[in-house]
Amino acid sequence: MTKDFAKNRTQPMLERNQLAGPSAFSLFITGLVLGVVIGVFGCAVLYLSGNFPPFDLPVVANNPSTPEISAPSTPPTEDEQPLQFEFYTELPRYEVAVEASPVDLEPENPNPELEQQYMLQTGAFRLRNLAETEMVRQQLLGHEATIRQQDLVGRTLYLLQSGPYSTQSELNAAEQLLRSHNIESTRMTLQ
């Protein structure tokens, strides 16, 4: 028996029925019950932990017309005696003898020459034109900087450096100039 597929029509899709959401009243009741359960659970955990204030403290009103209620004063027991820190009163009475020699705080070499020479690095750039732009900016500020090319594995960096500085005053002046224009610098020692 043969079947004629040309006349086979597909049935229209069944209409989808929209499901109604829960009512506002049922959501309210559910939230209320859940809140009570969480509150009771929290109170039980707090009670079992023992970290809660005592319930027998007197209430002091801020109203000046009502007399103040004070806590009953009981003398402290032996376990509750106030702490006495003898350290602060006894320490000044003791003197510890040590073998020490006085240190001269004056520098041995009054010459402001540095023991090592320093360079200041103010940037490392991947692109040479960015390094040149920053170099021109620093030169306009009065800071002499040069670009040094550093070849690394897989890339090249252009380091913006100045120096070498042989005296402490030159180094401090250069750092102060850069700091005053919000330019970060890093000291580098020459090997």
Side-chain angles (χ1 to χ4, degrees), residues 40-129:
V40 168
F41 178 74
C43 290
V45 169
L46 181 66
Y47 176 75
L48 292 176
S49 70
N51 294 328
F52 56 90
F55 296 115
D56 59 350
L57 288 179
V59 177
V60 177
N62 290 334
N63 190 353
S65 63
T66 59
E68 291 188 23
I69 302 172
S70 61
S73 61
T74 58
T77 62
E78 290 181 15
D79 295 335
E80 297 176 356
Q81 289 295 327
L83 294 176
Q84 295 179 0
F85 297 106
E86 295 175 1
F87 175 81
Y88 297 109
T89 58
E90 294 295 323
L91 184 63
R93 296 182 191 161
Y94 289 97
E95 184 176 327
V96 178
V98 287
E99 293 180 23
S101 59
V103 177
D104 185 19
L105 297 179
E106 296 292 324
E108 291 180 14
N109 185 7
N111 189 2
E113 294 288 324
L114 295 172
E115 293 178 10
Q116 296 180 344
Q117 288 190 338
Y118 287 95
M119 298 277 293
L120 286 179
Q121 181 170 320
T122 56
F125 301 91
R126 290 185 183 172
L127 302 175
R128 184 168 183 86
N129 61 351

Side-chain angles (χ1 to χ4, degrees), residues 126-182:
R126 290 185 183 172
L127 302 175
R128 184 168 183 86
N129 61 351
L130 293 176
E132 289 173 353
T133 304
E134 182 63 24
M135 180 181 69
V136 169
R137 176 179 164 237
Q138 289 183 16
Q139 286 175 347
L140 290 174
L141 297 174
H143 181 74
E144 292 300 320
T146 58
I147 297 174
R148 188 171 67 89
Q149 182 175 335
Q150 179 71 41
D151 294 321
L152 300 174
V153 178
R155 65 180 174 180
T156 301
L157 287 179
Y158 299 98
L159 306 176
L160 190 58
Q161 297 177 341
S162 63
Y165 299 101
S166 56
T167 64
Q168 185 70 37
S169 61
E170 290 176 358
L171 181 62
N172 290 340
E175 286 180 328
Q176 180 61 32
L177 175 69
L178 293 171
R179 217 176 298 123
S180 67
H181 291 92
N182 294 327

